[in-house]
Amino acid sequence: REMSAHAQTMMLTKELREDLALLQQLPQSALSSIIEIAAAQLRAGPANKKALVETAESLEVEPSDLNTTIEAVMHLLLDTARLQMPEQDLRQSLEDLGLEEEKTASLLQACSEQAAHARSVVQ
């Protein structure tokens, strides 16, 4: 497949890929929670530590791993907004993570829904 300039610019760095790797192990419902937290942090700043620890415990992951994943999702939301990346290019980048289709679709939807706010943050 031919990649556009947007997709080449957005190629997920090794570090970002590693930070998003936890998503492969978690159920879809956990991804939804992570997206909600990331979107809330874009609007209001860092989540309160107690809420983060409680969420991590409910997902049976380390709070630091959860926080890293939330920050990676925020990075993804901000980068896609900053680059105004077409959905097809974003899908191609996300498919490279090896996530299930449902998780890829959730991330695409989040990037679309958060685009306007994320653009206001990066400008």
Side-chain angles (χ1 to χ4, degrees):
R1 288 185 297 204
E2 188 71 23
M3 268 201 255
S4 73
H6 286 292
Q8 291 172 4
T9 304
M10 173 67 188
M11 287 302 290
L12 300 178
T13 64
K14 183 176 188 257
E15 181 181 5
L16 185 58
R17 292 171 63 86
E18 289 170 0
D19 291 348
L20 291 169
L22 181 63
L23 298 178
Q24 294 171 328
Q25 302 163 22
L26 296 174
Q28 175 64 31
S29 59
L31 175 57
S32 299
S33 296
I34 289 169
I35 289 169
E36 285 178 31
I37 294 168
Q41 285 190 25
L42 283 178
R43 290 188 300 276
N48 110 17
K49 185 124 175 121
K50 182 179 178 193
L52 183 69
V53 169
E54 288 173 359
T55 302
E57 287 174 357
S58 73
L59 298 174
E60 299 179 359
V61 297
E62 291 297 318
S64 60
D65 292 342
L66 178 61
N67 192 55
T68 297
T69 303
I70 290 168
E71 289 177 0
V73 171
M74 286 177 43
H75 181 85
L76 185 69
L77 295 173
L78 291 170
D79 265 8
T80 56
R82 180 177 54 80
L83 296 170
Q84 297 183 17
M85 182 177 282
E87 182 178 331
Q88 182 60 30
D89 292 346
L90 178 56
R91 176 180 294 279
Q92 188 172 346
S93 292
L94 291 174
E95 285 173 351
D96 290 344
L97 290 174
L99 297 175
E100 299 159 14
E101 176 58 32
E102 186 178 14
K103 291 178 182 177
T104 298
S106 292
L107 287 169
L108 284 169
Q109 182 179 352
C111 289
S112 174
E113 290 174 355
Q114 299 300 322
H117 180 71
R119 269 195 290 281
S120 73
V121 171
V122 294
Q123 290 178 347

